[in-house]
Amino acid sequence: MYGVQKRRRARQTMIGGIAVGGGAPIVVQSMTNTDTADIAGTVAQVAALARAGSELVRVTVNTAEAAAAVPHIRDQLAAKGVDVPLVGDFHFNGHRLLTQHPACAEALAKLRINPGNVGHGSKRDEQFATLIEFACRYNKPVRIGVNWGSLDPALLARMMDANAQQAQPDEIDVVTRRALVQSALDSAQQAEQLGQPGDRIVLSCKVSGVQDLIAVYRDLAVRCDYPLHLGLTEAGMGSKGIVASTAAMAVLLQEGIGDTIRVSLTPEPGGDRTREVVVAQEMLQTMGLRSFTPLVIACPGCGRTTSTFFQELADNIQIYLRAQMPLWKTRHPGVENMHVAVMGCVVNGPGESKHANIGISLPGSGENPVAPVYVDGVKAVTLKGDNIAGEFRALIDRYVQEHYPAQAAVSS
């Protein structure tokens, strides 16, 4: 895999039928931003995230109304044929909500517990124990998710005090990173002592800085064998969030660290929540770690490509391929590994098209208005006229039919 290190060996846990850790494929996760008490809105968003390829979807459980809604959300998703596992996100009052609404725990596939927000002082251990008790009662895995912004202040204070007593104290950021890891490990040990099996625990330590995330997870990976969930929290919106998340997680994934990932993008106004799923998939696919949808190779354009037609065609084909995948992935196994090239002129166009499974080299500025199509390195046909996009899609469909033999769809 071009230098990707062997995956870190972690224990394996099952989350609603999805294997995490133990060498299983890295799992893509996402989270809703609807009010969970809004059953219809949450069902619609979970279904959209699942269609986009999210393999686990987390929902906020912060009120009695939200907790009561979870079983109905699960049932309505099942009625729609959406069987994506749901993860409940608990802070502050999770112990009380599950006590009042035990059906919520039963309906969820996993509980996410933030040890920094479970409770403070004498209440912390008791409230944490209540959450673990529900996980044990309903045989649910838990993710102990520590966050930079809600780190247990008592633990941090103790570690800061101990650091201050050293002859050469470490920087505050170093101690804080160390406290994040210690919080996760201490909480996991406490969960096991309370009866939660070690192979039903996932850990995460989320921060908002790229270098901090890399340092924290390197430390965590050395000190435990629990599956690790990666994510840069508060990554931001747009290109900043995408670049920051990719810069941090790609380094760790390259080192074999990470069993599930989430790209925490702030949606732009009116933006599509599924964007975070697509980015996570593209990260894994471009690294050669997993394949989700046929990969489109397209040139950036230059002065030779004065027409935007090739850009529009590349976008058209990418959207088309992703739209076909819900059907293709069940009927045409292996199609996700296909490479499609859409190139804008003769400089690199024919060469890139020959390297792809199927590729088209469009005419650039001053070139003959024809577009040769290459199939497995051999020129197959030349397209011209006003329907190049439609004809090229038809050629892609034919390639899929001929090279990825159809199998009967598996009913859910």
Side-chain angles (χ1 to χ4, degrees), residues 64 111 203 212 219 235:
L111 312 182
L203 297 187
D212 291 317
D219 188 14

Side-chain angles (χ1 to χ4, degrees), residues 73 268 389:
I73 293 168
E268 296 176 358

Side-chain angles (χ1 to χ4, degrees), residues 28-30 48-49 52 237-239 242 263-268 271-282 318 322:
V28 172
Q29 195 169 150
S30 63
L49 290 165
M237 62 169 36
S239 60
I242 293 171
V263 176
S264 300
L265 295 181
T266 303
E268 296 176 358
D272 191 342
R273 189 67 168 181
T274 62
R275 181 63 176 150
E276 67 178 53
V277 179
V278 174
V279 172
Q281 289 182 329
E282 290 176 345
Q318 189 156 274
R322 187 166 284 277

Side-chain angles (χ1 to χ4, degrees), residues 36-100:
T36 307
D38 174 7
I39 295 173
T42 303
V43 166
Q45 191 172 84
V46 171
L49 290 165
R51 283 194 301 271
S54 183
E55 294 159 305
L56 297 173
V57 177
R58 182 157 49 114
V59 299
T60 296
V61 186
N62 60 335
T63 64
E65 292 78 12
V70 168
H72 300 290
I73 293 168
R74 178 205 56 190
D75 292 345
Q76 290 191 22
L77 287 167
K80 294 176 177 289
V82 179
D83 61 357
V84 65
L86 296 178
V87 179
D89 195 49
F90 295 96
H91 299 269
F92 309 114
N93 59 354
H95 61 290
R96 185 167 62 250
L97 294 177
L98 291 183
T99 300
Q100 296 170 350

Side-chain angles (χ1 to χ4, degrees), residues 296-316:
V296 176
I297 300 157
C299 66
C302 67
R304 292 176 177 271
T305 55
T306 54
S307 170
T308 60
F309 179 72
F310 89 95
Q311 299 166 332
E312 295 165 357
L313 180 60
D315 185 54
N316 179 296

Side-chain angles (χ1 to χ4, degrees), residues 1-5 254 284 287-290:
M1 288 254 183
Y2 301 106
V4 176
Q5 292 186 20
Q254 186 77 8
L284 294 176
M287 291 185 70
L289 295 171
R290 285 192 67 183

Side-chain angles (χ1 to χ4, degrees), residues 53-369:
S54 183
E55 294 159 305
L56 297 173
V57 177
R58 182 157 49 114
V59 299
T60 296
V61 186
N62 60 335
T63 64
E65 292 78 12
V70 168
H72 300 290
I73 293 168
R74 178 205 56 190
D75 292 345
Q76 290 191 22
L77 287 167
K80 294 176 177 289
V82 179
D83 61 357
V84 65
L86 296 178
V87 179
D89 195 49
F90 295 96
H91 299 269
F92 309 114
N93 59 354
H95 61 290
R96 185 167 62 250
L97 294 177
L98 291 183
T99 300
Q100 296 170 350
H101 301 276
C104 174
E106 186 177 12
L108 292 168
K110 183 176 74 171
L111 312 182
R112 187 273 177 140
I113 304 170
N114 182 344
N117 285 340
V118 167
H120 300 292
S122 60
K123 293 183 178 180
R124 191 268 182 199
D125 288 348
E126 177 186 347
Q127 293 172 185
F128 181 83
T130 299
L131 289 163
I132 297 300
E133 176 188 341
F134 276 96
C136 294
R137 183 186 305 175
Y138 293 104
N139 198 29
K140 305 294 182 180
V142 298
R143 171 160 70 91
I144 293 173
V146 185
N147 192 291
W148 185 274
S150 53
L151 180 59
D152 181 355
L155 172 64
L156 181 59
R158 288 196 302 272
M159 294 186 68
M160 286 293 185
D161 289 342
N163 179 66
Q165 300 304 314
Q166 296 183 30
Q168 293 184 324
D170 292 320
E171 296 289 336
I172 291 175
D173 284 355
V174 172
V175 181
T176 305
R177 291 197 298 262
R178 198 177 296 145
L180 281 165
V181 173
Q182 197 61 51
S183 176
L185 295 176
D186 288 349
S187 298
Q189 182 180 30
Q190 184 180 5
E192 289 201 53
Q193 291 171 346
L194 290 166
Q196 180 73 358
D199 62 358
R200 298 188 73 73
I201 295 174
V202 178
L203 297 187
S204 67
C205 287
K206 291 192 175 183
V207 299
S208 55
V210 170
Q211 298 300 334
D212 291 317
L213 192 82
I214 294 169
V216 164
Y217 273 91
R218 282 174 173 166
D219 188 14
L220 194 58
V222 169
R223 297 181 60 185
C224 75
D225 64 353
Y226 298 109
L228 301 181
H229 169 69
L230 302 186
L232 189 75
T233 191
E234 291 95 35
M237 62 169 36
S239 60
K240 186 271 179 184
I242 293 171
V243 170
S245 293
T246 304
M249 285 191 276
V251 171
L252 294 166
L253 292 168
Q254 186 77 8
E255 296 178 1
I257 298 171
D259 302 286
T260 77
I261 67 170
R262 181 194 173 203
V263 176
S264 300
L265 295 181
T266 303
E268 296 176 358
D272 191 342
R273 189 67 168 181
T274 62
R275 181 63 176 150
E276 67 178 53
V277 179
V278 174
V279 172
Q281 289 182 329
E282 290 176 345
M283 184 193 312
L284 294 176
Q285 185 151 354
T286 54
M287 291 185 70
L289 295 171
R290 285 192 67 183
S291 293
F292 298 93
T293 191
L295 198 63
V296 176
I297 300 157
C299 66
C302 67
R304 292 176 177 271
T305 55
T306 54
S307 170
T308 60
F309 179 72
F310 89 95
Q311 299 166 332
E312 295 165 357
L313 180 60
D315 185 54
N316 179 296
I317 295 302
Q318 189 156 274
I319 292 171
Y320 178 73
L321 293 174
R322 187 166 284 277
Q324 302 312 303
M325 280 308 295
L327 176 62
W328 281 359
K329 69 181 179 182
T330 59
R331 296 196 173 177
H332 301 283
V335 70
E336 65 275 7
N337 298 306
M338 182 171 69
H339 286 192
V340 179
V342 179
M343 302 299 293
C345 77
V346 298
V347 173
N348 294 315
E352 288 285 0
S353 296
K354 290 176 183 178
H355 290 152
N357 296 109
I358 180 169
I360 186 169
S361 180
L362 295 168
S365 178
E367 296 170 16
N368 292 329

